[in-house]
Amino acid sequence: MHHTNFLVREPLLDPQQRVLGYELSWQDGAPGAAAPAALEALVGFVAGQVNHPDTGWLLRDKTLFLQAVPAMLSTDALHNMPPEHTVLSIQTATLADPATLAAVRALRAGGVGILLREADLAKLGKGLAGVASHVEVRFTGADVAAQARNYAALRQAAVRMVGRPVGNWADFDACAALGLDAFVGKLHLTPRPGSAVKGMNPAQTVILQLMQMVRQNADAAQIEAVLKRDATLSYKLLRFINSAGFGAGREVQSLRQALALLGYSPLYRWLTLLLATASSNGYSPVLLETAVVRGRLAELLGLAALGKGEAENIFVAGMFSLLDRLLGMPMERVLEAIQLSDDVVAALLTRGGKYGPYLALAEACELNSTLVAALAHSLGLSPQQVNQAHLSALAWAQNVAS
């Protein structure tokens, strides 16, 4: 199925607005997308991409939520997914079949999570814990007292509650106050209201200064001098260069040595990530993770056609596409503060130029947009190429140091 359909994702947030996992599915509207064979293919494909035979689970603490139907509950593909990071989502009504109920109980005994959809919360008893780890609840904003009683009963049954759809931050706060554990909606693209735009903080200003110096090919000694004036930045650079992911091979103790090893293009990329993480406007952590995944996915999508150097520019465009929200500034002000190439600016403002379509495709994968297939086709990318890049970007984002 990964040869013909496109993978889309939706984050699940915890009450602290952190990403606890992702719901992965084939794009809506794909023929036979809910068929057992398609769902079995989804499990198998995901397992092959994010559960490495040598290094194990590539998504660290993240859990994946995957749609399921009774006919594929015993698929061999499930054995390739770590049970503690896997939740299968099924219709509650299917449990009326004894064989389905037995299969669900067997999965739960093996540690696989089960999320019940379209359940009658008032009728669910305390025996639910042996059947389900999660229950989907729909917060309406009406009759909150009755909902609160149902939620309290579920908490006693040790079942985690997933609110869907939680479309605004007011509903998010209400659900969190009622004890819900996870939230699905479009909040990952919506900054919390109430934070006044105050411009960039001192750390962001220094990072921008360094980015401009790198773009202008300033002397390494000048860049080192700016870094030395900021102990936190210096520490982060040395920590990054000495991390296992960078693989310097020996401990680097001086900024000059770090700059020489890193090089200007990777330095600019690192500063791009750092600029986003230096936000102090109180926005949700999910916004940052979305920006990182988007940037990396857009980069991977453009790598084969445009080459490494151009792809790194696409990464910058992807990261910066959410920078207005991360910094609490209009995009026009962001672009006034940062010197960017015309192609990156075109991608950010209109999704045009040679980078824009790759950025638009990465965005479409977040939104289950009908544009996914059309954009991929226009770029000469197959569903398998897009899906592999998507899961690779998701794994890469989990290992980006803040």
Side-chain angles (χ1 to χ4, degrees):
M1 240 340 149
H2 57 279
H3 295 291
T4 56
N5 287 344
F6 291 92
L7 195 67
V8 292
R9 75 181 189 279
E10 194 160 28
L12 285 87
L13 310 188
D14 70 8
Q16 286 73 47
Q17 307 166 46
R18 297 173 303 213
V19 180
L20 60 86
Y22 286 96
E23 183 177 77
L24 299 180
S25 60
W26 297 127
Q27 183 187 0
D28 286 345
L39 298 177
E40 185 172 348
L42 176 64
V43 175
F45 177 66
V46 169
Q49 298 297 311
V50 298
N51 197 30
H52 194 276
D54 297 323
T55 57
W57 188 240
L58 301 181
L59 301 184
R60 301 185 71 178
D61 60 342
K62 297 294 191 296
T63 295
L64 292 185
F65 291 70
L66 304 167
Q67 185 183 354
V69 291
M72 49 81 62
L73 292 178
S74 59
T75 176
D76 290 340
L78 283 172
H79 297 299
N80 297 322
M81 290 285 289
E84 68 275 18
H85 293 299
T86 305
V87 176
L88 299 180
S89 170
I90 66 171
Q91 294 284 345
T92 304
T94 63
L95 298 182
D97 176 53
T100 300
L101 182 59
V104 165
R105 289 189 182 278
L107 288 169
R108 289 292 297 125
V112 175
I114 296 291
L115 182 147
L116 297 182
R117 302 194 313 272
E118 298 185 14
D120 185 341
L121 301 185
K123 294 182 180 179
L124 291 175
K126 291 186 178 180
L128 189 62
V131 177
S133 56
H134 298 73
V135 172
E136 180 181 284
V137 300
R138 295 193 172 260
F139 179 77
T140 63
D143 199 2
V144 174
Q147 291 180 77
R149 288 193 295 272
N150 289 332
Y151 300 161
L154 287 173
R155 283 201 302 274
Q156 290 177 1
V159 175
R160 303 188 71 182
M161 294 172 283
V162 179
R164 177 202 299 272
V166 181
N168 59 66
W169 287 108
D171 283 354
F172 176 94
D173 291 334
C175 289
L178 287 169
L180 269 69
D181 303 283
F183 312 87
V184 184
K186 299 302 179 188
L187 296 174
H188 61 293
L189 298 176
T190 309
R192 290 204 69 139
S195 297
V197 175
K198 299 178 181 178
M200 298 191 186
N201 61 37
Q204 291 163 341
T205 302
V206 174
I207 295 168
L208 274 177
Q209 180 186 357
L210 288 166
M211 292 177 73
Q212 301 288 52
M213 294 174 72
V214 171
R215 292 284 297 180
Q216 295 164 4
N217 289 312
D219 187 76
Q222 294 175 296
I223 296 175
E224 181 187 8
V226 174
L227 280 167
K228 282 182 174 178
R229 294 200 298 267
D230 192 308
T232 302
L233 273 180
S234 298
Y235 167 75
K236 287 185 175 181
L237 177 58
L238 290 173
R239 185 180 65 176
F240 171 69
I241 207 78
N242 286 310
S243 67
F246 184 80
R250 64 186 188 281
E251 186 174 0
V252 178
Q253 297 181 335
S254 75
L255 291 174
R256 181 165 300 183
Q257 191 179 11
L259 292 173
L261 279 172
L262 191 57
Y264 276 22
S265 182
L267 176 61
Y268 190 88
R269 178 194 185 91
W270 177 74
L271 289 168
T272 299
L273 284 165
L274 206 59
L275 181 63
T277 63
S279 172
S280 61
N281 288 303
Y283 290 165
S284 170
V286 66
L287 198 61
L288 172 60
E289 185 160 329
T290 300
V292 174
V293 176
R294 181 186 294 182
R296 180 61 171 170
L297 175 53
E299 175 188 21
L300 292 174
L301 292 172
L303 185 60
L306 299 181
K308 188 173 185 295
E310 299 270 43
E312 288 184 347
N313 289 333
I314 303 176
F315 172 81
V316 172
M319 280 292 301
F320 280 15
S321 66
L322 287 170
L323 202 57
D324 53 342
R325 292 172 237 188
L326 284 164
L327 299 182
M329 297 171 57
M331 183 59 78
E332 290 74 16
R333 282 186 58 194
V334 174
L335 295 178
E336 288 173 3
I338 305 173
Q339 180 184 347
L340 297 171
S341 70
D342 291 343
D343 285 316
V344 172
V345 171
L348 290 172
L349 293 180
T350 66
R351 301 302 184 259
K354 58 183 174 181
Y355 303 151
Y358 296 100
L359 174 55
L361 177 53
E363 286 179 299
C365 291
E366 303 164 11
L367 301 172
N368 199 2
S369 169
T370 55
L371 292 174
V372 175
L375 285 166
H377 179 74
S378 70
L379 294 168
L381 293 168
S382 69
Q384 184 173 13
Q385 288 174 307
V386 176
N387 294 339
Q388 286 176 335
H390 195 161
L391 291 178
S392 178
L394 207 59
W396 186 85
Q398 309 312 312
N399 297 288
V400 174
S402 61

